[in-house]
Amino acid sequence: MIREFLFYEDSNNKEEKKNYLDLKIQIRELIKDSFDRKILTEILLDLRKDLSGQSQEVLLKLYVDLGLHHDAYDKLTSLRWPTISKGILELTAMNVSESYGMILKLINHRNGTIRKQAELAIVNLKEEGISFFLDNTKYKISEWQQLKLLDVLRHKENFTPPQFSLWLTSNNTHVVLFSLRLIKYYKQSDAIKSIVTLLKHKNNSIKMEAIDCTKEFYVFEGLATLKLIYWKSNMGVKIAILDAIGEIGSNDDLEFLKIAAQKEKIHNIKSKVLGTINKIEPEHYVPTKNIQDLSYYSKDSESATEEELQNQACLLEEHVNTEPVVRLQNEAEAEFVGQEIEDKIGEIDISNSDEHPLEVSEKEEASVLTIQQLEEITLEHDQRLIENPFVEEKSLEQLSFDFLPVIVENDIQVIQEEMMEECSDFNIGFSLDEDFHQETGDSSIENIEQVDLEDIEAIDWNILFNSGTLEEKIAPFFEKDEIANEKVSEFPENHNLSISPIFLDDADLETMVLLEDIDDLGDERELALLHQLLKEESSPIIVDRVNELIEKFSQKYSDDILTEEKPFERHDKSVFEALFELSDRETRIVLLNEMAASGGAKEISLVKRVLNEKDQELKKLAQIALEKISERKSSGAQQEFDQQLSHLLRIDFELTLESGAETPQTNRPSGGTLFDHLCSFPNNFYNSKNG
Amino acid sequence: MDSELFDVLLEYVNFIFFLFTMVLFVLFTLMAYFSTRNSIHYRNKNSFADVSKIMASPLAPTITIIAPAYNEGLTIVENVRSLLSLQYVSYDVMVVNDGSKDDTLRKLIDAYDLVKTDILLDPDWKSKPVKAIYKSQNSAFAKLLVVDKMNGGKSDALNTGIALSTSTYVGCIDVDCLLQPDALLHVVKSFFQRSAKRVIAVGGVIRVANSCIIQGGQLEEIKLPKNWLARFQLLEYTRSFILGRMAWGRIDSLLIISGAFGFFEREIALAVGGYDTDTVGEDMEIVFKMRRYMHDLKEPYTIEYIPDPLCWTEVPEDLNILINQRDRWARGNLETLFKHKDMLFNSKYGRLGLLSYPYWFFYEWLSPLLEFFGVITVIIFAYLGILNWDFFLTITMTIYLFSMMISFYAILWDVYSYNEYSRTKDILILMGCAILEPLLFHPIVVYAAVRGNYKKLFKIKTGWGSQVRKGFAQAS
C-alpha cells in the first residue's frame, strides 16, 4: 500500500488515479486506529532510512499529509523522557520543520537525552538552528554530542556556516570549544586575535584546539604566546605546541627550542623538541645512538698529525650521523663490532660518545669547510676515482673524510640556506608538477646519497684498504641494497657521469618557467616567440631548451600540415553551404532567415547563388539576406574589430584576497591565476582571429 | 566449661554463616535490581544513538588496540586480520610478540609483509627490551604494527604497547578474542558521551565463542557450546556480566575491567605506570590504580561498561586448564586486594572503599575459602554428630534455590536484551546448567580458588599456566 503511494506518478492513467484515491481513503480509515497509526509511523521511519531523492520527499510529504506528525507533537508533551525523545527523533527524521518552534524549548531540558535530541533536531531542521543552539545552550556539550552536531552540519545541503568566531566569547566553555572546532572545520580564519587569546585558556581542551587552529591557519602572531604558555603546560599540550611551532616556526624559534631540549626531562617531549628543531632546520640534530666509532679509518694515515686525525674522526662521525637510521642487528653484534674497532683504533679517542644527539660546537665549525667547498671536493674526488680507479687506489689508503657533509651553524648556515634556496629554484625550473617532483624529483639524487650513507655502517672497510680492484671493492656496498643496485644500473657504463646542480639567476629562472609552460601548453604558434627568445637569450641552458622546443613544435607543425587537408580553406566556406544543398525548401527558407540574421561575408557567395534560383520566395529571402549581410559587413567592420579587441582583453576573474588555508597551493586548479591568464594571452589572440 | 565455650563458638559460627548468607542474598537482589535498571536505561538511551555517525568524523579520537601474543602461531594471522577489519576511521593495531617460542612472529612477517622500522621507546620506561618493531609494506595493512620483545608476561607486553602508542585511547585485548566490527564505535561513544565526568576506562561483556561459526574473522552464527564445561562457563559469564558488572557500573563502582576487552585513556594509564607486572590479576589492579589516581586528583571521573556483546572469546574446555585459569584469577584477586588493602572501609574512596572493595574482599575472595571451610566443618560436625541437620538443610536449600533463581533471571534478561540464543532448546539447556551448576561446576571453581590462595599464601611459585586454544579459524 505504501509502495503504491511512494511510487505513484501523476501521469498514470485514470484507473491508477482511481486506485490511488481509493488507497488514500482506505489508509485514512485505517489510521483512525492509534495502533495502526503507530505501526504506519514505524514503517515510514524505517523506510526513511532506506529511501533517498524524490521517493524520500514523497515519503516525508505522505507522513505530514496523513497527519502522523500530530502524534509526534503529542509525544513531546509526555511525562516520560523516552517518549519525548522518540517524538523529537520522529519529527527530525521526517524533517517536519514546523516543529522547530516546539523543539526549541527543549534545548535546555534537564534530561540529558531529551536535551541532546532537541539540539540535534533544531540544528537539523533549520539553518539558523546552530546559531540558536550556540547562543542559548546552558549545558555542557559532550564530545559525542559535538561529533553528532558536526555530522549533521556536514551533511546539510546548501549550508552556509555562520561566523563561529562570534561564540568564542561565550561563557559556556563547551560552546567555545565547539566553536573552535567548527572554525577549524570550516576554515574560518577571521578570528586570529581570539584564537591567540584562547591559547592562554585555562581549559586544556580549548587550549589544544586553539593550538590546532594556530597551526591550521598559520597564525604567526601566536608563536610568542605558544612559547610563553609552553613551560606550564602538560605533556599533551606541550607536544601540540611543538607540533605547531614545527609547522609555522622559523629559525627565530630555534633558541627557544634549544632551551626546551636542555630542560625537558621526559623522553617523549624531548624527542618531540629535537624533531621540531630538525623540522625547522633539517638535520640540526643527528642520530648518535648505536653509532660506531669510525676513527679507525684514519688510523693508517701516517702523515696526518694527531690533531688532524681527531678532526677527521669528528667529521667522519658527523657524516655517519647524517644517516637517517643506523642500527645494528642486535646488541651482541654491536658490542662485537664496537670491540673490534676499539681494538684497532687503540690510541684514538672520540669524545662524543653519549647517547644523546649532538650539536656541532663552534670550535668544530671553525675547522670545517663550507658546504660548497665540500661538494666540490667530493665531486672532484668521485670523478677522479671513477675515471682512474687504479691511480686512486693508493690514495684511498690516505683517504680524507673532509669532504663528508657536516652540520654547521651561524655563518655557514647562511651559506647553506642560500644554497638551499637556489636548489629549490633549480627544482622548480625543471619540474612544474609538484606531485611529480615529490614522487620522483627529489628521490634520484637523494637516494644515491642515502644508499652510500646507509651502507657506511655495514661496510667492511678493510676490503677497501687491503686488496683487490676498486670495482671488486665497491661491489659489496651496492649488493647490500636492492635500491642501490637499481641506482647503479641507471648509470651509463663508462661512469663518466657526475651529478651537480645548476643554479640559475631569477631572470633565467623565469624564462625557464615560461619555456616549461610553453612545452606543456603551447603549440606551433609559439614558434615566433621561441625564435625571438633564441635571439635574445645568451644562457646556454635556455638556448638549448629553446632549440629543443623549436624542434619539437616545428616537427609537430609539419606533421599537422601533412595530415590536415587545406586547413585554412575551410574558413572561407559558409557553414550553411553543405546543409543548404541537402535541405528541402522549408529548411532552406529557415536557413536563409538564419543567414539574414547572423550571416557574414562567407555566406555572400551562397546567397548570390540562391538569387539565381527559380523559386521566387527563396529569391526574395536571399535578396533580403544579401542586403542585411552587406549592411552588416560595411557598418560592422569597425565594431567587430572593437569587439574582438574587447573580447581579447576581457578579464573574467577577480583579484581577491584568499586565505591560505582555504586555497592550498598544491591543489589550485590550473588556469585560474593571473599568471595563467597572461600565459594564455597568445592563445586567446590566435583563437579570436581564427575562430 | 569447655562444652559451654564450644556451644557459644558454634552459635557464633552459625550466626556468621547466617549473616554472610543474608547479606549475600540482599546484595544479589540489589544487583539484579540495579542491573535491570541500568539495562533498561542503556537500551532506552541507545535507541536514539547511531554509532555509525562516528565512522568518518573529523572529531573521532585515535585508538590503539594492543594485543599481546605469546605462542599464538596457530591463530595469530586470522586474529590479526579480524582486528584489522574493524569499523573505525582512526585506529591502529599493535601486536606485541612477547618472546614467543613458536613461529608467531614469522607467520606475521610472512602474512602481512612486515619490515623493520624504527620507533624510539622511552629509555626510562620499565619493560623488557624491544628487539624490533615491524610495519607492513602493504598499504592495506598500514594500521598494523608488530612489536617483537623479550618475554616479560602479558602485563609487560601491554605496558610496552601503551608506551609506544601515541593514541588518545588504548585498547588492551587478548589477541585470540574476536571483536564485533562495530566494537570500537561503541567504545568511542562510551568515552565521549559524558560531559560532566571524565571517562578514564571502558570495559565490556565477554561472550563465549565456543562452537560458534566464525568465518574470515567474522562471527557468522552464534551457537551454544557443545562442551558442558563451556556451557557452565557461559552461564557463569552471563550472570557475572549481565547482572554483576552491569549493577556495579550503575553505581559507578566497577573495580574490574576484563583483560580480554578493556580500553583506557592512555594519559591516565601512563600516569599510573601502566599494568603491574608483579601480579597475575593485572586487569583488576590497573583499574584500582586508575581509580585511586583520579580520586587523589579529585577530578570527576567514571568507568563505563558496555553490555552489548562486542567481544567473543573461547573458554577452556579442558578441566585442568580451567582450574589453572581460576587458580590464577584467585591469586590475582588476592594480590590486588592485598596491594590496595588500605582501601577497605576507607571512606576517602567513597563507595569504592565502603561497598565495592568489601564486596570483592568478602564475596569474591573470601567466599570460596569460607565455602571450603564450611564443607569441611559440616563433614567434621556430621562425623561428630553435632550437626544441626535442620538448619544445615534449610540454609543449603535456600542458597541453592536462590542461586538457581539468580541464574534463571540472568538467562531471562540476556534473552530479553540480546536474544543471542533464540532456540528454545538452547535456553532449556542453559536452565539445566543453572540447576546443575551449584552441584557440579561450582565445587570445581571453589577448589581452584582455594588452590590459588594456597599457592599464593604459601609462596608456591607458579605462572600464568597455558591455554591450548582450538583457534577460531579451526573452529570454523
Tab-separated table of all heavy atoms in Angstrom, chain B residues 84-101:
chain	number	residue	atom	x	y	z
B	84	LEU	N	42.036	-6.052	12.098
B	84	LEU	CA	42.275	-5.014	11.089
B	84	LEU	C	41.008	-4.636	10.320
B	84	LEU	O	40.999	-3.663	9.585
B	84	LEU	CB	43.339	-5.490	10.091
B	84	LEU	CG	44.770	-5.562	10.628
B	84	LEU	CD1	45.679	-6.234	9.621
B	84	LEU	CD2	45.300	-4.194	10.973
B	85	SER	N	39.970	-5.446	10.505
B	85	SER	CA	38.766	-5.165	9.708
B	85	SER	C	37.655	-4.515	10.522
B	85	SER	O	36.490	-4.607	10.177
B	85	SER	CB	38.270	-6.458	9.067
B	85	SER	OG	37.988	-7.390	10.081
B	86	LEU	N	38.034	-3.855	11.616
B	86	LEU	CA	37.006	-3.196	12.430
B	86	LEU	C	36.515	-1.917	11.763
B	86	LEU	O	37.240	-1.294	10.987
B	86	LEU	CB	37.585	-2.866	13.814
B	86	LEU	CG	38.036	-4.051	14.654
B	86	LEU	CD1	38.648	-3.570	15.954
B	86	LEU	CD2	36.869	-4.976	14.955
B	87	GLN	N	35.290	-1.544	12.109
B	87	GLN	CA	34.713	-0.336	11.509
B	87	GLN	C	35.103	0.887	12.334
B	87	GLN	O	34.457	1.199	13.327
B	87	GLN	CB	33.186	-0.432	11.500
B	87	GLN	CG	32.645	-1.539	10.659
B	87	GLN	CD	31.152	-1.728	10.874
B	87	GLN	OE1	30.527	-1.054	11.671
B	87	GLN	NE2	30.585	-2.673	10.168
B	88	TYR	N	36.139	1.531	11.922
B	88	TYR	CA	36.519	2.781	12.587
B	88	TYR	C	37.556	3.481	11.735
B	88	TYR	O	38.320	2.828	11.032
B	88	TYR	CB	37.062	2.493	14.005
B	88	TYR	CG	37.234	3.738	14.834
B	88	TYR	CD1	36.147	4.553	15.090
B	88	TYR	CD2	38.467	4.116	15.335
B	88	TYR	CE1	36.285	5.699	15.838
B	88	TYR	CE2	38.618	5.261	16.082
B	88	TYR	CZ	37.523	6.052	16.331
B	88	TYR	OH	37.661	7.192	17.055
B	89	VAL	N	37.575	4.801	11.822
B	89	VAL	CA	38.481	5.526	10.933
B	89	VAL	C	39.904	5.623	11.454
B	89	VAL	O	40.870	5.495	10.716
B	89	VAL	CB	37.991	6.975	10.675
B	89	VAL	CG1	37.040	7.027	9.529
B	89	VAL	CG2	37.400	7.599	11.918
B	90	SER	N	40.006	5.842	12.727
B	90	SER	CA	41.293	6.288	13.245
B	90	SER	C	41.830	5.334	14.317
B	90	SER	O	41.824	5.663	15.489
B	90	SER	CB	41.053	7.690	13.782
B	90	SER	OG	42.142	8.186	14.394
B	91	TYR	N	42.237	4.155	13.904
B	91	TYR	CA	42.792	3.232	14.890
B	91	TYR	C	43.956	2.461	14.284
B	91	TYR	O	44.118	2.407	13.071
B	91	TYR	CB	41.706	2.264	15.392
B	91	TYR	CG	41.430	1.073	14.520
B	91	TYR	CD1	41.926	-0.192	14.817
B	91	TYR	CD2	40.652	1.207	13.374
B	91	TYR	CE1	41.655	-1.288	14.020
B	91	TYR	CE2	40.375	0.112	12.572
B	91	TYR	CZ	40.879	-1.127	12.904
B	91	TYR	OH	40.608	-2.209	12.107
B	92	ASP	N	44.802	1.938	15.172
B	92	ASP	CA	45.833	1.029	14.694
B	92	ASP	C	45.911	-0.181	15.609
B	92	ASP	O	45.427	-0.147	16.735
B	92	ASP	CB	47.188	1.722	14.553
B	92	ASP	CG	47.563	2.528	15.755
B	92	ASP	OD1	47.745	1.914	16.801
B	92	ASP	OD2	47.650	3.763	15.657
B	93	VAL	N	46.481	-1.221	15.081
B	93	VAL	CA	46.585	-2.480	15.824
B	93	VAL	C	48.057	-2.730	16.130
B	93	VAL	O	48.884	-2.718	15.221
B	93	VAL	CB	46.017	-3.657	14.999
B	93	VAL	CG1	46.214	-4.975	15.727
B	93	VAL	CG2	44.552	-3.429	14.698
B	94	MET	N	48.357	-2.903	17.408
B	94	MET	CA	49.742	-3.158	17.803
B	94	MET	C	49.818	-4.554	18.422
B	94	MET	O	49.306	-4.787	19.518
B	94	MET	CB	50.189	-2.105	18.820
B	94	MET	CG	51.674	-2.073	19.053
B	94	MET	SD	52.110	-0.961	20.389
B	94	MET	CE	51.846	0.624	19.648
B	95	VAL	N	50.415	-5.466	17.692
B	95	VAL	CA	50.579	-6.830	18.217
B	95	VAL	C	51.945	-6.884	18.893
B	95	VAL	O	52.961	-6.576	18.272
B	95	VAL	CB	50.507	-7.876	17.085
B	95	VAL	CG1	50.720	-9.277	17.633
B	95	VAL	CG2	49.170	-7.789	16.375
B	96	VAL	N	51.949	-7.241	20.172
B	96	VAL	CA	53.220	-7.308	20.898
B	96	VAL	C	53.586	-8.780	21.072
B	96	VAL	O	52.952	-9.497	21.851
B	96	VAL	CB	53.121	-6.597	22.265
B	96	VAL	CG1	54.490	-6.562	22.934
B	96	VAL	CG2	52.571	-5.193	22.102
B	97	ASN	N	54.573	-9.209	20.310
B	97	ASN	CA	55.021	-10.596	20.421
B	97	ASN	C	55.925	-10.699	21.644
B	97	ASN	O	57.055	-10.221	21.647
B	97	ASN	CB	55.787	-10.985	19.152
B	97	ASN	CG	56.303	-12.396	19.228
B	97	ASN	OD1	55.622	-13.287	19.718
B	97	ASN	ND2	57.530	-12.596	18.772
B	98	ASP	N	55.396	-11.342	22.683
B	98	ASP	CA	56.092	-11.355	23.971
B	98	ASP	C	57.086	-12.519	24.040
B	98	ASP	O	56.951	-13.413	24.870
B	98	ASP	CB	55.039	-11.439	25.080
B	98	ASP	CG	55.634	-11.203	26.448
B	98	ASP	OD1	56.577	-10.406	26.551
B	98	ASP	OD2	55.162	-11.828	27.409
B	99	GLY	N	58.046	-12.490	23.147
B	99	GLY	CA	59.080	-13.533	23.139
B	99	GLY	C	58.535	-14.914	22.880
B	99	GLY	O	58.963	-15.888	23.527
B	100	SER	N	57.611	-15.029	21.953
B	100	SER	CA	57.021	-16.346	21.652
B	100	SER	C	58.100	-17.346	21.249
B	100	SER	O	59.071	-16.984	20.582
B	100	SER	CB	56.033	-16.221	20.488
B	100	SER	OG	54.954	-15.428	20.854
B	101	LYS	N	57.877	-18.588	21.661
B	101	LYS	CA	58.857	-19.620	21.294
B	101	LYS	C	58.452	-20.312	19.993
B	101	LYS	O	59.227	-21.076	19.436
B	101	LYS	CB	58.956	-20.646	22.423
B	101	LYS	CG	59.663	-20.076	23.653
B	101	LYS	CD	59.487	-20.992	24.844
B	101	LYS	CE	60.001	-20.300	26.099
B	101	LYS	NZ	59.470	-20.933	27.311
